[in-house]
Amino acid sequence: MAVLYGLSKYNLKKYITKDEFIKIIDDLGIEDVTGEIIYNEFLLTKDNVVTHLKSNDDYIWTVETNENRLSLKPFIHINSGKIMTNRELLDRSMNTWISYLLNGGSIYVKNPQDKLLKAFQLRNEQLGERLVELLRNILRVNYNSTFDEIEVPNSMIWGKREINYGDFDLMFYSEEAKELFLIEAKYICDSLNAAGMVSDYDKMFRDKGYHFKCRRRYELVINEPEALKKFIGIDGEINVHFLFVTSKPLDIELQDKDDIVTFISLETFESYISGKYESEDGKGFVRPTYKI
């Protein structure tokens, strides 16, 4: 980002040689950054965009597919050997990197090895933890808690099973209200394009995705409630909220097909728990619970 910012202040020629490119970056004087590093790691070449081509097509039409794209690497190596860039490309790339830094998102690999991408992955994890913290704080303001824990492994409740049920991101119980909130919380990064939005929904709803695993945990509660009640220390009948909470609203119906899991976002969470969250038809309020 420091390089992009520095270069945007230059009145760059449309085409520059490798030596000119490296010298300009070296002259920026950014600690631990050299023109040679930027040239080797952030240049778009024919070789590193070949995976973008479909079949024998001569043109790239699969947009924003991986790390080798203009929104991340705004330096194009053309046939003459010179490098092409401009202020618009630099600004676009700067905006993309800043959004990833502030709002999260997987830049291009699932298991990054270099320090830069590890830092962005850590940022995603921090934002996910922050989402759970905010949800927990809202519940604490509205209820007196009897049980209030995060990342509770299912194995602690039902013992070891053949399949790994994972954990509850947040379990919050109020004896006073006789209500238990079971929450799957997912931080969703800013989607800068249609492909990013599709990717978010794919991760949630594809076969054995986030919703599948969340729903499987909730069905365990429905089928074997006594173990959960014993773990928390509950006597008698209670109302359970089976929630899937995201950091931003989803363009889907409020509940899954049999109304077990309810999908809400952080911004609507408080209105939901206070009973003021309107149904889609505007004829009532949504606050579904399941008795166990």
Side-chain angles (χ1 to χ4, degrees):
M1 288 186 286
V3 168
L4 295 171
Y5 178 79
L7 289 179
S8 69
K9 302 302 177 184
Y10 271 80
N11 185 22
L12 292 173
K13 296 184 295 182
K14 186 173 183 180
Y15 304 106
I16 54 179
T17 66
K18 175 182 178 180
D19 290 342
E20 289 174 322
F21 180 77
I22 289 175
K23 184 177 186 307
I24 290 172
I25 293 173
D26 286 342
D27 287 347
L28 294 175
I30 301 168
E31 186 177 357
D32 296 327
V33 175
T34 67
E36 197 72 38
I37 290 173
I38 301 301
Y39 181 86
N40 291 332
E41 302 296 335
F42 287 88
L43 205 66
L44 287 184
T45 68
K46 270 190 173 182
D47 288 340
N48 65 24
V49 298
V50 70
T51 57
H52 294 37
L53 295 172
K54 288 282 189 178
S55 303
N56 295 317
D57 291 350
D58 293 326
Y59 300 98
I60 295 170
W61 56 272
T62 306
V63 297
E64 308 288 2
T65 51
N66 58 22
E67 72 266 36
N68 296 308
R69 64 182 195 257
L70 279 174
S71 56
L72 293 178
K73 301 180 178 183
F75 311 113
I76 306 169
H77 191 263
I78 58 179
N79 288 338
S80 67
K82 291 186 177 181
I83 299 162
M84 183 179 77
T85 191
N86 57 46
R87 177 65 181 269
E88 289 75 18
L89 290 178
L90 296 173
D91 286 348
R92 177 188 176 190
S93 184
M94 171 69 88
N95 289 336
T96 303
W97 282 104
I98 288 175
S99 180
Y100 279 134
L101 177 65
L102 297 179
N103 303 306
S106 298
I107 297 178
Y108 47 80
V109 287
K110 292 183 178 178
N111 298 302
Q113 299 303 313
D114 60 88
K115 291 180 180 179
L116 175 64
L117 298 188
K118 284 182 178 179
F120 278 93
Q121 181 169 282
L122 177 61
R123 177 61 175 161
N124 279 339
E125 294 170 1
Q126 291 172 338
L127 289 167
E129 292 168 359
R130 177 62 175 156
L131 173 60
V132 172
E133 180 185 343
L134 290 171
L135 295 171
R136 194 183 200 183
N137 289 342
I138 292 171
L139 287 169
R140 286 175 172 176
V141 168
N142 287 272
Y143 294 93
N144 294 319
S145 66
T146 308
F147 186 93
D148 176 6
E149 297 292 338
I150 62 173
E151 296 182 6
V152 180
N154 278 247
S155 58
M156 287 182 64
I157 304 169
W158 289 279
K160 192 173 181 181
R161 298 292 176 99
E162 290 183 3
I163 60 175
N164 181 8
Y165 283 90
D167 56 38
F168 293 110
D169 290 336
L170 176 59
M171 291 180 66
F172 187 99
Y173 176 64
S174 170
E175 175 66 25
E176 183 181 330
K178 293 288 184 181
E179 293 190 15
L180 171 64
F181 291 85
L182 299 178
I183 297 178
E184 175 82 0
K186 289 298 175 191
Y187 181 85
I188 301 175
C189 64
D190 275 2
S191 300
L192 303 178
N193 52 65
M197 293 174 66
V198 170
S199 177
D200 285 339
Y201 283 85
D202 178 60
K203 284 184 288 187
M204 283 187 284
F205 300 110
R206 67 187 174 202
D207 183 36
K208 297 184 179 179
Y210 293 143
H211 172 253
F212 170 83
K213 294 174 182 177
C214 168
R215 175 63 191 248
R216 188 168 61 181
R217 284 191 284 273
Y218 292 163
E219 287 176 347
L220 192 58
V221 174
I222 293 170
N223 294 328
E224 303 180 40
E226 294 308 317
L228 176 66
K229 291 164 74 172
K230 181 180 179 182
F231 176 75
I232 297 175
I234 296 171
D235 291 319
E237 191 176 68
I238 64 166
N239 291 314
V240 184
H241 298 260
F242 296 117
L243 299 177
F244 192 116
V245 186
T246 56
S247 55
K248 64 182 181 182
L250 301 175
D251 293 322
I252 61 171
E253 292 184 11
L254 187 65
Q255 293 176 281
D256 56 9
K257 58 186 179 181
D258 55 0
D259 298 339
I260 296 297
V261 182
T262 303
F263 299 90
I264 54 177
S265 64
L266 174 62
E267 67 180 275
T268 58
F269 183 63
E270 193 157 15
S271 63
Y272 168 84
I273 64 175
S274 63
K276 298 177 182 179
Y277 189 44
E278 286 192 17
S279 58
E280 291 182 350
D281 58 13
K283 295 180 179 179
F285 297 95
V286 178
R287 199 178 186 278
T289 56
Y290 192 98
K291 291 186 184 300
I292 63 170

